[in-house]
Amino acid sequence: MKFSVSLATLAGLALLLALVAFARQLDHDESQYVAATMLARHALVYRDFAYLQTPLQPILLAPLAAAAGTLAFPALRLANALFGATTAMFVLAASRAAGARPAAALRAALLLASTDIFLFSATIARNDMLPAMLLAAALWMLVKQARGEGGRMAAMAIGLLLSAATATKLSYAIPALAVGALALIDRRYRPAWLIAGAIPPALLVAYTWHAAPDAFAFDVLRFPTAAPEQYYAAGRAWKLAWWARALDVTKFLALGPALLALIVVVRAPRRDRPARTALTHLLDLLIVAGLIAALLPAPTWRQYLLPALPPLFVRLALLWEERPPGRAMRIATVVFVIAGIAPSLIAVAQGFPLATAIENGRRLKRAMDRDDVRGAIATLSPQFVAATGWRLDPRFAAGPFFFRSSGLLPFADEARFKLVSRARAGAAFAADPPAAILIGGEGEWTSGDARLDRAMVQIATGAGYRPRPVTGTPFTLFVRPRSPRAPVADRVPIDNKR
């Protein structure tokens, strides 16, 4: 199989992922990622707005959001589709570098792309696909090093990629630390050069920490552990139980051939040829590290399993290269592939919600123009504000996720960290009222909690805001009564500084 054929196949995959990105249901999880990328164009993460992840993605993608303008939300989904296709390409390249033939390597890449874990992560505006792509690129170089083909510059590049993945999503620190520990044992991985490569992304993280150490510690370290536990303990505590997490992991892996691949790898005989020992140790280590990274947060969601998939499918390519699957295994693989792609096929058949969101954004903008909105927009659904071109209130950069929490911070720290909880929203609006409050994007149609939007309606009404339904959309714009003396300069598009 020629390289051009593989490249054309992966280009086709990128187009298919872009199609699914337009069809994927809108998800409230996207709120903070779109908001952070919009705000990072003119503000510093943690110091000027909250971001409940490590900081690289919004900083890196802010120029894309600036170029896309009112199409920033779909542009970020399409960027993830491109990251997904590139991840599959690196898995193909890693499989080839490990010794798999072109057909087996391409099969491994396409099996990866048929998992629901991958398809979800590559077609939604979250921070899952970029670090997976960085990990897959590092894996390709690590495979070469395991075979004695890498040099110092390759080791630096690996360190840079793994550090950048961690600077994008903290769970990737587990695979990065696993590689670092392996490098200390096996000197072919050149630990000093690995560390040197890791420095630039680490410095970026350190800079954002230094600018707002308390906010960084809360956003990145405390909130991701304390908030989910508080939220689910209030009504769905069973989601935090070990048996529920085990069922979730099994379910997510079974939506696609990942579970089958894991079974094949676990059952593989440990009779590797000496030349393959270092390589299989590397792949097995990264699979285990990826699974540990997935299991640490509670509850467990499908995208958390993504770090384990690139090394898993490279390992599968090698096993099936040495011992091709029999008829029963091929049939089982087809069944699991169908299970993996079925949710995405159903989504495509049901329409294109992202196109509807773009049109709703135009209607929202016309409504804001009609009501002469001036200033920042507060909302639990900031991903929809992007389409209007108007400024987002940075206190709502975290979408609904901090708002729904209770007592995680003293009110003084909420204000200091640019956050607003439900309990403090009334006081926050009284002290610094937004120009308008957008309500309607946090509900079942975005996998959200409609009770939160109902709470926002009560808060907005209590603060004297007037409801203005936006015709043809699920949204209502609550507009603040404005003094006739309010200066026109208050009305500033989102690409201007606050």
Side-chain angles (χ1 to χ4, degrees), residues 17 20-22 24-38 51 53 57-58 61 64-65 71-83 118-131 168-169 303 354 382-384 386 397 401:
L17 291 174
V20 178
F22 269 84
R24 177 74 63 187
Q25 178 188 358
L26 303 177
D27 197 303
H28 74 160
D29 266 9
E30 299 174 280
S31 56
Q32 69 155 320
Y33 303 100
V34 177
T37 307
M38 295 190 310
Y51 181 58
Q53 304 283 342
Q57 178 161 305
L61 296 184
L64 172 64
L71 297 176
F73 183 12
L76 292 174
R77 275 200 172 190
L78 293 176
N80 272 336
L82 180 60
F83 297 153
F118 176 94
L119 288 168
F120 175 81
S121 302
T123 56
I124 195 168
R126 281 179 45 92
N127 71 331
D128 305 301
M129 212 67 242
L130 175 57
T168 304
K169 193 174 181 72
Q303 62 270 17
L354 191 58
Q383 69 272 33
F384 298 114
F401 299 105

Side-chain angles (χ1 to χ4, degrees), residues 390-412:
W390 294 101
R391 191 176 67 214
L392 172 68
D393 188 327
R395 296 173 295 180
F396 288 85
F401 299 105
F402 183 80
F403 180 84
R404 72 187 188 185
S405 68
S406 176
L408 293 183
L409 283 174
F411 284 178

Side-chain angles (χ1 to χ4, degrees), residues 125-210:
R126 281 179 45 92
N127 71 331
D128 305 301
M129 212 67 242
L130 175 57
M133 181 189 74
L134 297 170
L135 174 66
L139 176 63
W140 170 50
M141 296 183 181
L142 282 164
V143 166
K144 289 186 172 185
Q145 284 199 321
R147 294 171 63 91
E149 299 173 10
R152 295 173 179 175
M153 292 299 102
M156 283 191 69
I158 292 166
L160 177 69
L161 290 164
L162 292 176
S163 181
T166 304
T168 304
K169 193 174 181 72
L170 189 58
S171 61
Y172 282 77
I174 305 299
L177 290 172
V179 170
L182 179 62
L184 294 176
I185 298 169
D186 189 339
R187 309 298 286 188
R188 84 183 74 194
Y189 296 105
R190 303 177 185 272
W193 293 93
L194 195 72
I195 293 170
I199 290 174
L203 287 177
L204 172 66
V205 174
Y207 173 73
T208 59
W209 166 81
H210 183 265

Side-chain angles (χ1 to χ4, degrees), residues 36 56 69 88 117 122 214 227 242 303 337 372 420 479 496:
L56 181 60
I117 296 166
D214 293 340
W242 67 267
Q303 62 270 17
V337 166
D372 198 22
V420 175
V479 181
N496 286 1

Side-chain angles (χ1 to χ4, degrees), residues 108-483:
L110 293 179
L111 287 175
L112 163 70
S114 69
T115 63
D116 185 55
I117 296 166
F118 176 94
L119 288 168
F120 175 81
S121 302
T123 56
I124 195 168
R126 281 179 45 92
N127 71 331
D128 305 301
M129 212 67 242
L130 175 57
M133 181 189 74
L134 297 170
L135 174 66
L139 176 63
W140 170 50
M141 296 183 181
L142 282 164
V143 166
K144 289 186 172 185
Q145 284 199 321
R147 294 171 63 91
E149 299 173 10
R152 295 173 179 175
M153 292 299 102
M156 283 191 69
I158 292 166
L160 177 69
L161 290 164
L162 292 176
S163 181
T166 304
T168 304
K169 193 174 181 72
L170 189 58
S171 61
Y172 282 77
I174 305 299
L177 290 172
V179 170
L182 179 62
L184 294 176
I185 298 169
D186 189 339
R187 309 298 286 188
R188 84 183 74 194
Y189 296 105
R190 303 177 185 272
W193 293 93
L194 195 72
I195 293 170
I199 290 174
L203 287 177
L204 172 66
V205 174
Y207 173 73
T208 59
W209 166 81
H210 183 265
D214 293 340
F216 178 99
F218 178 79
D219 290 2
V220 178
L221 301 176
R222 186 179 168 213
F223 181 88
T225 55
E229 181 177 346
Q230 180 190 80
Y231 181 73
Y232 286 96
R236 290 189 289 170
W238 59 269
K239 288 286 289 183
L240 304 174
W242 67 267
W243 58 266
R245 297 171 65 192
L247 285 176
D248 283 338
V249 168
T250 304
K251 173 187 67 178
F252 295 139
L253 290 173
L255 287 173
L259 181 61
L260 185 66
L262 188 60
I263 292 171
V264 170
V265 168
V266 170
R267 295 181 60 187
R270 303 299 170 183
R271 296 193 300 268
D272 293 312
R273 297 190 300 273
R276 281 274 177 90
T277 301
L279 179 57
T280 55
H281 285 175
L282 167 70
L283 294 173
D284 290 347
L285 175 67
L286 286 174
I287 293 168
V288 172
L291 291 173
I292 292 172
L295 292 170
L296 284 178
T300 302
W301 300 110
R302 55 187 155 182
Q303 62 270 17
Y304 296 174
L305 289 156
L306 191 56
L309 298 195
L312 176 63
F313 282 98
V314 173
R315 186 77 166 95
L316 182 68
L318 292 181
L319 289 171
W320 281 359
E321 177 77 18
E322 294 181 354
R323 183 178 296 180
R327 183 171 181 272
M329 181 63 72
R330 292 197 300 272
I331 293 173
T333 301
V334 171
V335 171
F336 277 102
V337 166
I338 292 172
I341 65 176
S344 296
L345 291 176
I346 292 170
V348 171
Q350 290 178 339
F352 298 94
L354 191 58
T356 304
I358 294 170
E359 178 56 32
N360 284 344
R362 296 191 180 104
R363 291 171 177 167
L364 281 172
K365 184 180 185 305
R366 289 196 293 269
M368 291 177 184
D369 290 342
R370 175 197 67 199
D371 288 306
D372 198 22
V373 172
R374 305 179 181 184
I377 310 300
T379 180
L380 301 181
S381 310
Q383 69 272 33
F384 298 114
V385 173
T388 69
W390 294 101
R391 191 176 67 214
L392 172 68
D393 188 327
R395 296 173 295 180
F396 288 85
F401 299 105
F402 183 80
F403 180 84
R404 72 187 188 185
S405 68
S406 176
L408 293 183
L409 283 174
F411 284 178
D413 284 345
E414 282 191 26
R416 192 159 59 98
F417 298 167
K418 312 295 191 296
L419 287 163
V420 175
S421 66
R422 177 165 35 185
R424 197 181 71 90
F429 288 167
D432 184 9
I437 302 170
L438 179 64
I439 294 172
E442 176 68 10
E444 290 185 7
W445 67 287
T446 59
S447 300
D449 185 347
R451 294 173 300 176
L452 300 180
D453 259 351
R454 289 196 291 269
M456 280 287 277
V457 169
Q458 293 177 347
I459 294 164
T461 304
Y465 284 73
R466 296 177 287 109
R468 302 279 286 175
V470 182
T471 305
T473 78
F475 299 106
T476 299
L477 191 67
F478 281 74
V479 181
R480 182 184 73 197
R482 184 167 51 86
S483 164

